[in-house]
Amino acid sequence: MEERSLQSEISSYIGKLLRDNFGKGPASVYVTIQKPYVTIYLKDFLAPMEKLLVGQNNQNKVEETRDLLMKELNPDIKATFRATAGLELNSLYYDWSLTNRSGMIIGIIKSDEELDPSVKDYQHKAALHEEIKKVSKQAEKVPESVSSFKINNRTILVERKGILVAIEKEMIRSGFGEQLRLAKRQLEKRLLHQLSLEKILQLKVEDIFVDWDFDLDCSHIVLIVKPDS
C-alpha cells in the first residue's frame, strides 16, 4: 500500500475509533509514518461533556477518563495496525492538550529500518537537548539518554530514557501510576512552556505533548511547531 493511502486509512480508522468510543471524534487527524515512529495529531477533539468539565477546572477527570479508554483500546489499535497496515506496534503513547482541543498518539513500530538522516539532523538540536535536560532535572533527574527527530516540518519528537527517581518507582509499584502520570504531565508541561523553546528553535511552538512508559522508564515529548515557510 502506498504511504499516502496508508496514512489516509489510518486517519479514517482513528477518527472513527475515537468517535465511537468518546462520543465525538476529532475534526482533523494528521498521520505521519517515519519508521520506527508513527505520529497521529488530533485537532478539535473535545466532547461537549469534556468541554463542561474543562470549564469547571476538572481537566484531570477528562484526562483520567481518556487514559482509561485508551488503555482499553490499545489492543484493538495494535491489532488493526497489524491487519490493515502490516505494522507491528511495540507500544503506544498518548497525551492531550485540552485547552487547544488537540491530542497526540505515538506508535513505536517494530522495525529494523534506519531513520532517514534528514530526520535525525535538524537545526538547534543540541540546544534543544540541553533545555530538555534542564526540565528533566527540575521534574525528576537528568535522563540517562536524550535523542530527538524532526518527523516532519511540524513535528519534533524527543525520546528520554532513564528518568524515573526512586519515589516515582515506588508509587508505580504501589498502584499509583495513573496519579503519577497526571501529576507529571502538569508539571513537565508547565516547565516546558516556561522554557525559551521558541527562541531556541526559532519556530513558534503550537502544542506540547508528553507521555511515559513506566515499565521501560522511557518518555516521549512531542513539539508541534509552525513551519518557518
Side-chain angles (χ1 to χ4, degrees), residues 89-140:
L89 296 182
N90 284 336
S91 54
L92 280 170
Y93 298 80
Y94 36 84
D95 187 24
W96 324 103
S97 177
L98 298 178
T99 53
N100 290 342
R101 302 186 181 188
S102 57
M104 173 62 64
I105 301 172
I106 307 163
I108 311 299
I109 304 167
K110 185 177 181 180
S111 173
D112 295 326
E113 292 185 29
E114 289 287 330
L115 275 166
D116 189 301
S118 64
V119 174
K120 295 180 180 179
D121 299 319
Y122 60 90
Q123 274 193 313
H124 316 299
K125 178 175 180 174
L128 176 62
H129 284 197
E130 288 305 310
E131 292 300 300
I132 295 296
K133 288 176 184 177
K134 288 180 185 177
V135 163
S136 300
K137 184 177 180 180
Q138 285 181 275
E140 50 266 316

Side-chain angles (χ1 to χ4, degrees), residues 157-181:
L157 186 150
V158 182
E159 182 179 85
R160 297 174 296 169
K161 293 184 178 180
I163 56 172
L164 293 174
V165 295
I167 187 63
E168 292 174 324
K169 293 178 181 179
E170 190 60 36
M171 287 183 68
I172 295 162
R173 280 192 292 267
S174 299
F176 296 101
E178 180 60 21
Q179 291 88 337
L180 178 63
R181 186 184 307 277

Side-chain angles (χ1 to χ4, degrees), residues 47-219:
M49 181 57 72
E50 293 178 327
K51 183 178 179 181
L52 179 64
L53 288 170
V54 170
Q56 295 174 345
N57 292 319
N58 286 317
Q59 289 93 334
N60 274 4
K61 288 184 178 179
V62 177
E63 292 198 12
E64 187 173 7
T65 303
R66 285 188 173 192
D67 287 353
L68 287 171
L69 267 172
M70 288 300 295
K71 285 178 184 176
E72 290 296 316
L73 297 175
N74 197 315
D76 289 341
I77 294 173
K78 288 183 177 180
T80 301
F81 268 69
R82 187 185 310 116
T84 63
L87 298 175
E88 189 76 34
L89 296 182
N90 284 336
S91 54
L92 280 170
Y93 298 80
Y94 36 84
D95 187 24
W96 324 103
S97 177
L98 298 178
T99 53
N100 290 342
R101 302 186 181 188
S102 57
M104 173 62 64
I105 301 172
I106 307 163
I108 311 299
I109 304 167
K110 185 177 181 180
S111 173
D112 295 326
E113 292 185 29
E114 289 287 330
L115 275 166
D116 189 301
S118 64
V119 174
K120 295 180 180 179
D121 299 319
Y122 60 90
Q123 274 193 313
H124 316 299
K125 178 175 180 174
L128 176 62
H129 284 197
E130 288 305 310
E131 292 300 300
I132 295 296
K133 288 176 184 177
K134 288 180 185 177
V135 163
S136 300
K137 184 177 180 180
Q138 285 181 275
E140 50 266 316
K141 67 173 186 177
V142 176
E144 293 173 10
S145 68
V146 178
S147 54
S148 67
F149 315 96
K150 195 166 186 180
I151 302 299
N152 56 43
N153 67 343
R154 297 198 66 205
T155 309
I156 297 173
L157 186 150
V158 182
E159 182 179 85
R160 297 174 296 169
K161 293 184 178 180
I163 56 172
L164 293 174
V165 295
I167 187 63
E168 292 174 324
K169 293 178 181 179
E170 190 60 36
M171 287 183 68
I172 295 162
R173 280 192 292 267
S174 299
F176 296 101
E178 180 60 21
Q179 291 88 337
L180 178 63
R181 186 184 307 277
L182 293 173
K184 284 170 70 66
R185 269 185 189 157
Q186 289 187 11
L187 173 60
E188 289 207 0
K189 283 193 197 177
R190 185 167 66 247
L191 293 173
L192 284 165
H193 279 293
Q194 290 172 0
L195 289 179
S196 52
L197 294 177
E198 294 187 348
K199 185 176 181 181
I200 291 167
L201 295 170
Q202 296 182 24
L203 294 167
K204 178 176 175 55
V205 177
E206 298 184 332
D207 252 328
I208 298 176
F209 302 98
V210 190
D211 197 17
W212 297 263
D213 185 321
F214 291 143
D215 293 332
L216 297 177
D217 195 358
C218 178
S219 169

